[in-house]
Amino acid sequence: MPDSSEHPLFRFEFDDPRLTARLTSEQVESFAGGRRLQLTGDLDIDGTAFPVLLRLRVVEHAEDRLLVVGTATLPYRLLRRATGFRAGRPATRLRLLVAAEFA
């Protein structure tokens, strides 16, 4: 996160032959002295956008590196309708686990 008043932009891209997804967030809040981050943004899966709240825990940080782990919850029915994704058992929501390194 920049020290200036400039808003950070986080963009995660997941690319697979069966699924294309992009998470974009321009709103980032820092908690617990910078040990936790909360990103509000949009997750685009195969052309369908879902609003998401991604909560991240900072695992490691240095001046040139940031390592985070976090989760976001998606509504399963909307995800299934938009992408055709099917879980092995009935569900109302799907938790997305994200691990990311920024260098």
Side-chain angles (χ1 to χ4, degrees):
M1 294 179 60
D3 292 332
S4 68
S5 62
E6 175 184 328
H7 293 287
L9 171 69
F10 281 88
R11 183 178 174 129
F12 300 95
E13 291 193 24
F14 312 89
D15 195 17
D16 183 271
R18 298 161 288 173
L19 176 78
T20 301
R22 180 177 24 261
L23 172 67
T24 306
S25 174
E26 293 183 15
Q27 184 176 355
V28 179
E29 295 179 64
S30 178
F31 298 97
R35 293 187 313 260
R36 297 208 179 269
L37 302 173
Q38 182 170 291
L39 285 74
T40 305
D42 293 310
L43 177 62
D44 183 290
I45 300 176
D46 288 342
T48 302
F50 297 90
V52 294
L53 175 65
L54 179 61
R55 293 184 171 117
L56 299 169
R57 180 175 53 90
V58 176
V59 176
E60 184 179 324
H61 66 88
E63 197 161 310
D64 62 343
R65 183 173 176 217
L66 178 64
L67 181 63
V68 295
V69 176
T71 60
T73 303
L74 302 174
Y76 173 72
R77 288 182 185 172
L78 293 176
L79 181 67
R80 188 183 72 206
R81 277 190 234 139
T83 66
F85 172 81
R86 298 203 184 278
R89 55 187 165 154
T92 58
R93 61 189 179 278
L94 181 74
R95 185 172 293 172
L96 175 67
L97 174 65
V98 176
E101 179 180 10
F102 301 93

